[in-house]
Amino acid sequence: MVDRQLRQRGIRDEHLLAAMEQVPRHEFVSRERWSDAYADHPVGIPEQQTTSQPYIIAAMLQAAQIKPQDRVLEIGAGSGYQTAVLSVLARQVIAMERYASLADAACDTLERLGYGNVKVVTGDGSLGYPESAPYDAIIVSAAAPRVPPALADQLAPGGRMVLPVGDAHQQVLQLVSRDEQGGISVQTLEGCRFVPLIGEQGFKT
Ligand code: SAH
């Protein structure tokens, strides 16, 4: 997976490649999906959601330039797979998930595998988690109609947020950066397709 899907497509961050080499992705999907766990596409998880294609996870995390001292907010924990990769890369991870059933399962898996610097919170991640803000990086794993202002507000000076922005069918990855003076800039990366971010500053149900 790491050589064929990530290195060959231009993922160069060696810390990230090492983290994705070491996290056992099959542990985050059901046993019936084990044969697909390392495949080059999203894999179904309960509640009609998916764990994203490994390449797109790598592209997002590379763009966010996660550093060992960073505090990271992840929106859309899903299976907890990306949470585990973030746990290896960063100092602390807060992962939000809208479905309590997914949040509980992700929390159990992360605990069983020993990823200790992680807190999984059930709630509407389109509003972020102001209790622990600001964050050095925010990764949103569900598609938003626009950059949620609440999330931009929770970025620390020098912070980076990566998120898919578009309609329900297709999106582009955007990198939102806050400079040391507090200014915000937005850069468009590549096309992608995510499940929708459902919430107050996402899509309405
Ligand atoms: N990175 C995850 C991807 C999960 S898919 C993984 O590797 O498994 C996206 C997730 O976002 C889904 O589980 C969905 O329930 C969740 N989601 C959608 N809207 C949300 C919101 N407003 N707050 C938190 N989670 C949300």
Side-chain angles (χ1 to χ4, degrees):
M1 176 185 100
V2 166
D3 280 337
R4 287 221 299 269
Q5 299 172 34
L6 309 185
R7 267 185 216 282
Q8 283 189 17
R9 288 199 189 115
I11 303 296
R12 293 280 173 265
D13 179 335
E14 288 299 330
H15 292 295
L16 171 61
L17 292 165
M20 289 186 71
E21 182 94 56
Q22 100 186 46
V23 174
R25 184 163 157 87
H26 64 277
E27 297 279 5
F28 295 87
V29 299
S30 65
R31 196 169 278 268
E32 303 80 69
R33 307 241 189 212
W34 274 13
S35 58
D36 260 1
Y38 297 88
D40 195 14
H41 54 70
V43 178
I45 60 172
E47 309 289 4
Q48 276 99 51
Q49 304 300 315
T50 55
T51 173
S52 312
Q53 178 194 23
Y55 168 74
I56 205 78
I57 292 177
M60 291 181 93
L61 300 189
Q62 178 166 268
Q65 294 176 43
I66 315 282
K67 293 182 269 310
Q69 69 278 14
D70 281 353
R71 293 178 62 255
V72 179
L73 177 66
E74 182 196 21
I75 307 302
S79 67
Y81 170 70
Q82 180 176 262
T83 321
V85 176
L86 283 167
S87 149
V88 175
L89 294 173
R91 176 158 62 98
Q92 198 200 350
V93 185
I94 294 181
M96 295 192 73
E97 171 53 54
R98 174 173 174 256
Y99 286 102
S101 58
L102 292 179
D104 291 350
C107 190
D108 288 350
T109 309
L110 290 161
E111 221 170 78
R112 175 166 58 81
L113 297 175
Y115 296 102
N117 55 343
V118 168
K119 172 168 152 178
V120 184
V121 177
T122 302
D124 178 5
S126 75
L127 301 175
Y129 191 66
E131 291 89 328
S132 301
Y135 304 98
D136 303 298
I138 301 179
I139 308 291
V140 186
S141 302
R146 66 195 70 80
V147 176
L151 294 181
D153 285 349
Q154 291 172 38
L155 267 185
R160 294 85 51 207
M161 166 159 62
V162 180
L163 80 168
V165 177
D167 61 27
H169 305 290
Q170 72 183 46
Q171 307 98 32
V172 288
L173 280 184
Q174 293 197 338
L175 170 63
V176 178
S177 309
R178 181 180 289 283
D179 64 30
E180 297 296 337
Q181 287 69 46
I184 290 276
S185 62
V186 181
Q187 209 182 316
T188 294
L189 309 173
E190 59 197 283
C192 58
R193 192 172 175 181
F194 279 80
V195 298
L197 180 77
I198 310 277
E200 216 165 294
Q201 293 192 12
F203 290 97
K204 309 285 181 228
T205 39

